[in-house]
Amino acid sequence: MDAPSTPTPDAILRRLEWTVIRRLDGVLQGDYRTLFRGAGLDLADLREYQHHDDVRHIDWNVTARLQQPYVREFTEDRELTAWFLLDLSGSVDFGSARSKRSVSAEFVAVLARLLTRHGNRVGAMLYGDALGEVLPPRGSRQHVLHLLQRMMKHQAKQASTTTQLEDLLRRAAPLMPRRSTVFVVSDFLSTPGWDAALAQLSLRHDVLAVRLYDPLEMALPDLGMVTLQDAETGEQFMVDTNDPGFRSRYEKGAEQQEDALRESLARAGVDTLELSTDEDLLATLLRFVDLRKQRMRLNSGAGMPAHLKGNTTGGRHELRVA
């Protein structure tokens, strides 16, 4: 019997347009600008400063005259530019139910098509073991298909290197001259140091960290003697998953790595969306839509929901969808 063929980018996008994108469009009902904002150039109004406003928008002349802080509000650019910084290193090919790469591709397809069908442009930077192809921002469905095709074909070339996510983030900044919405899609299994680069990127852009993970990375089942291979270095070793002590040590190490990752994301001060290989993409995105709208209400000066109080990172509110 022939092995099942890999779906084409067009087949993947058609399925997602029918099952996910139509639902999201229905939820947003033309209100997608509450999720993704343009850079904003024209002064629209002045209002009193409220606790969570950006201090960079304070109008100091009006503040001095009225002896009360006032902030400027701007009309937004009609066109939004979004960038996808895509980690396609060896570790994203791992997955139990499905690979992290396939989850990444579906997320990118949904968001890119949702944006382009509203007249916006999307670009991408692909990273394997080094920064590879750069796709300049464009706004057509054909461009989304091209992006999907490049994601599916792009492979890390070396099996003896570890991911240097910092390189992707540092080299991305000069390629984005204007304020953009940036999606950093990665499992964040990288050498340390990327959190500072991510924080620097967020000073100019609206950044969302999209973290990919698989349940087997958190806990191993009892499978007896198995051979494990490091997806990035190629190193192989035998382990006895029947040993409760080994599984316990594995879970403890995974917990420590998880804590370190969350601390790094917290230091970067960016919103985080977590995508698991065994969860429904639509359900996760609907939760993200709800939390993103809450963030926009906070930034516009509305009151903070009770369940978000005290959940701040570096002066910003961390909205985490797990």
Side-chain angles (χ1 to χ4, degrees):
M1 179 181 297
D2 295 336
S5 59
T6 303
T8 64
D10 185 65
I12 293 173
L13 187 56
R14 285 181 184 276
R15 173 175 59 81
L16 293 171
E17 285 174 332
W18 182 256
T19 60
V20 178
I21 297 174
R22 288 176 69 238
R23 288 283 305 277
L24 287 176
D25 258 343
V27 170
L28 297 177
Q29 296 178 342
D31 194 30
Y32 73 98
R33 288 189 185 277
T34 60
L35 299 181
F36 311 113
R37 295 178 179 266
L41 295 177
D42 299 325
L43 179 65
D45 197 6
L46 289 167
R47 61 170 174 80
E48 288 189 18
Y49 174 86
Q50 299 190 34
H51 179 54
H52 299 291
D53 288 336
D54 190 334
V55 296
R56 293 174 296 181
H57 294 164
I58 292 178
D59 188 310
W60 294 107
N61 291 329
V62 175
T63 296
R65 189 164 59 248
L66 299 180
Q67 297 299 304
Q68 176 72 28
Y70 271 75
V71 293
R72 291 166 289 183
E73 292 185 326
F74 298 90
T75 55
E76 297 174 275
D77 291 338
R78 293 181 61 85
E79 182 183 89
L80 169 72
T81 299
W83 283 89
F84 294 91
L85 308 187
L86 304 174
D87 175 7
L88 300 176
S89 57
S91 61
V92 302
D93 287 320
F94 176 76
S96 49
R98 51 183 175 150
S99 72
K100 290 182 283 186
R101 181 190 290 263
S102 66
V103 174
S104 175
E106 289 188 2
F107 171 81
V108 170
V110 168
L111 268 295
R113 188 62 188 126
L114 189 66
L115 288 164
T116 56
R117 70 192 296 172
H118 286 288
N120 302 299
R121 302 185 306 156
V122 299
M125 302 178 194
L126 279 55
Y127 176 92
D129 47 43
L131 182 61
E133 194 169 3
V134 177
L135 279 64
R138 292 190 173 86
S140 66
R141 185 179 188 275
Q142 191 62 35
H143 180 61
V144 178
L145 289 173
H146 178 60
L147 171 54
L148 277 178
Q149 182 184 46
R150 300 315 305 162
M151 285 187 69
M152 295 169 66
K153 288 187 175 181
H154 190 91
Q155 300 289 336
K157 297 178 181 179
Q158 300 179 24
S160 59
T161 59
T162 56
T163 300
Q164 303 281 344
L165 193 58
E166 181 182 4
D167 289 349
L168 170 62
L169 300 173
R170 297 288 185 196
R171 296 178 65 182
L175 298 178
M176 298 183 290
R178 57 176 293 178
R179 178 175 172 83
S180 305
T181 296
V182 180
F183 302 94
V184 182
V185 188
S186 173
D187 55 12
F188 293 92
L189 299 179
S190 169
T191 55
W194 53 265
D195 51 332
L198 188 60
Q200 184 69 30
L201 198 65
S202 70
L203 294 178
R204 179 175 178 84
H205 305 283
D206 180 16
V207 178
L208 175 70
V210 183
R211 187 258 180 125
L212 310 167
Y213 72 96
D214 186 274
L216 283 184
E217 294 173 331
M218 312 301 171
L220 283 177
D222 183 356
L223 299 174
M225 295 293 297
V226 296
T227 301
L228 300 181
Q229 177 173 314
D230 188 309
E232 302 200 348
T233 66
E235 180 183 1
Q236 293 185 346
F237 46 92
M238 292 285 295
V239 298
D240 182 7
T241 61
N242 188 45
D243 180 1
F246 172 79
R247 294 201 306 273
S248 176
R249 292 191 298 274
Y250 180 92
E251 291 177 17
K252 184 177 180 179
E255 287 180 9
Q256 292 173 345
Q257 182 170 289
E258 185 75 4
D259 290 342
L261 173 57
R262 291 182 182 273
E263 288 176 5
S264 295
L265 288 169
R267 283 195 300 270
V270 298
D271 291 350
T272 302
L273 171 64
E274 296 189 337
L275 295 180
S276 173
T277 59
D278 68 344
E279 291 183 349
D280 179 66
L281 177 63
L282 176 60
T284 302
L285 288 176
L286 288 175
R287 294 198 300 271
F288 163 65
V289 167
D290 181 60
L291 290 179
R292 189 73 169 182
K293 287 183 177 180
Q294 292 178 15
R295 159 60 71 91
M296 294 303 179
R297 286 197 293 270
L298 291 176
N299 287 347
S300 66
M304 184 189 300
H307 70 282
L308 289 180
K309 289 183 178 179
N311 188 21
T312 59
T313 304
R316 302 181 57 182
H317 292 280
E318 180 188 6
L319 302 185
R320 180 179 296 279
V321 187

